[in-house]
Amino acid sequence: MSHSNTPHGGELVNLMADEERENVLKDLSLHIPSIAVSERRLCDLELLMNGAFSPLTGFMTHPEYESVLDRMRLQDNTLWPIPICLDVTDVEAAQLEAGQSAALRDPEGFMLAVMHIEEIWPVDKETEARCIYGTNDTTHPGVDHLFHRTSSHYIGGRVEGINMPLHFDFKHLRLTPLEVRAACAKLGWRNIVGFQTRNPLHRAQFEMTLRAMRETRANLLLQPVVGHTKPGDIDYFTRVRCYQKAAHHYPPNMMLLSLLPLAMRMAGPREALWHALIRKNYGCTHFIVGRDHAGPGVNKERKPFYESYAAQKLLEQYKDEIGIKIIPFEEMVYIPGKEQYVPRSETSEDATVKTLSGTELRTLLRAGLEIPDWFTFEEVIEELRNAYPPKHKQGFTVFHTGLSGSGKSTVAQVLVSKFLEMGDRPVTLLDGDIVRRHLSSELGFSKEHRDINVRRIGFVASEITKNRGIAVCAPIAPYTLSRRQLREMIEQYGGFIEVHVATPLEVCEKRDRKGIYAKARAGLIKGLTGIDDPYEVPETPEVSVDTTDITPDEAAQEVLLELQKQGFIK
Ligand code: PPS
């Protein structure tokens, strides 16, 4: 017999159609419009379909949405703090009609559900931001998403599920509310305390969960978010490996690890209430809420968006109604003398305590410095070190740009030799000529083609950088905008060092090893960079070298010194 908690609204919703209905819906889908659902809304759709958002049976209609904004309640008065709406562009909205059905598809076109549209309305983003986030400051990631990445209209209506969104990773850990309930029932668990996290589980959180388990005589449902979290968070693949390692530190059969494909809004108190209701649907009887639950960080004035413990206060207000017991927790601090973690209020004022923030942890990792063992488990450190190597183990791209004949290729070749001598990372040369032969043979030298060419180089270099190799590029790359885009693409994975080979045109022309300038002057070729095609000089390259009076070795040395200054080589 299951002892798990009653779902929110009384019954666990299951929106998946049975086989017969599925066939009807598939036939119907041939005659109705399709809507491509964004990655983020796919999370909402999955949790609607599997019942984690019970009692919701689809995307909210306008009155339901307004009721949630104004009162944190559905129209029937059930508590519900966060709008669950499907956004569409104005063009899509103009093609859709209330009363019509639409096929909801993932970005690859795979059909997941049919939605029976009841309403379409333009989004009042200002009002939504104020009601849900308490601010319209776009440094708040939820507000930023609403203002900049949410389309102009919402559509609401009942959903009938056909296929769950596809996941190929950690399949055995992706349990639905029904599966969690069944697993807990099989284990005979009576009290289940849910723990939500978007960070690796370190000793402080581990101690917090153990305390909660002791206090409530409960087993633990460790349910990390693997949908969307706060930008800059540690990627979930790394986190899940960390949770798996940390799980061994619990006494046997005391906890269950299950991944939640939730798109977090970082809405602080409202979000904490939402998380509690979702955990109730997974069968939890208790839910841990910390000091800054689902906190989005600081605002433009560097002040926290929500007060410490605001989430706990809100949940306390609704405690008689939510149907899941909230276990409030303070910040846990480490007392070196006792080798123990305790809530901060349990320490005397003069006690020495230790804490380490996520930002401090990332700084230590990046610098390759030691991470104290009071902070986390050895195996977790190992995982984090693998995922976030220090700079001298990260990949990087050296991107030379300059006129034909400026010496880019020679400097690039010297660098490639030096990197091969060092031998600690794979090296790839993406010289202008090589790329034009192997990647861009069909392209000419129009602005459009040059941009495509540089984008291709950027894509290959970013893959190399991501996989911790060294890419040495040497195209002319005459346009600022495409160089900037390439930098953005690469910097998310490792280093980007722009080297302007600033040899003046007169010198390049005098060298004219390929005879290309002579041909241009004779009118035999058109659109040569520097002659009758523009070269936009880089404004802030990491290195600028003019090879008029220095050797390629000397120029390469400047680049190597910059790489060493930045920590990419030792
Ligand atoms: S770009 O602008 O970045 O796409 O150019 P890139 O791929 O580096 O290709 C430049 C090489 O092609 C030869 N070439 C020309 N360059 C510039 N403009 C025109 N019209 C042109 N036609 C041919 C030239 O030899 C370049 O090689 P490098 O190594 O720069 O001398």
Side-chain angles (χ1 to χ4, degrees), residues 108-181:
E108 271 79 53
F110 182 61
M111 181 155 91
L112 303 170
V114 169
M115 177 175 177
H116 306 291
I117 303 170
E118 288 163 47
E119 256 166 304
I120 308 172
W121 72 99
V123 192
D124 177 352
K125 294 186 179 181
E126 289 287 336
T127 304
E128 181 174 328
R130 213 170 352 91
C131 293
I132 303 302
Y133 302 106
T135 177
N136 54 17
D137 178 346
T138 51
T139 43
H140 187 301
V143 176
D144 177 59
H145 189 273
L146 177 64
F147 284 170
H148 301 134
R149 271 161 296 155
T150 302
S151 298
S152 59
H153 288 69
Y154 283 154
I155 56 175
R158 197 165 54 84
V159 164
E160 290 187 88
I162 296 170
N163 295 296
M164 282 291 174
L166 291 174
H167 297 290
F168 301 108
D169 53 49
F170 302 119
K171 278 188 182 186
H172 62 297
L173 296 176
R174 293 177 177 273
L175 306 180
T176 64
L178 262 184
E179 287 165 340
V180 168
R181 285 167 175 273

Side-chain angles (χ1 to χ4, degrees), residues 15 116 266 281 308 379 489 518 527:
L15 298 184
H116 306 291
M266 309 311 297
N281 287 331
S308 288
E379 315 93 286
M489 187 156 44

Side-chain angles (χ1 to χ4, degrees), residues 22-94:
E22 186 182 319
N23 289 332
V24 174
L25 292 173
K26 279 184 178 158
D27 286 343
L28 176 71
S29 75
L30 304 176
H31 313 286
I32 57 178
S34 288
I35 298 174
V37 182
S38 69
E39 289 287 346
R40 201 174 158 112
R41 298 288 178 209
L42 277 182
C43 293
D44 287 355
L45 181 60
E46 179 166 359
L47 295 183
L48 275 171
M49 294 204 295
N50 75 13
F53 284 172
S54 299
L56 303 189
T57 54
F59 288 101
M60 288 176 180
T61 57
H62 195 190
E64 194 91 299
Y65 164 79
E66 293 210 309
S67 169
V68 168
L69 257 54
D70 296 342
R71 316 186 296 138
M72 285 208 308
R73 290 179 187 280
L74 304 176
Q75 281 176 289
D76 68 2
N77 230 23
T78 310
L79 266 182
W80 192 275
I82 297 287
I84 307 296
C85 298
L86 184 60
D87 60 314
V88 293
T89 61
D90 48 355
V91 177
E92 285 173 315

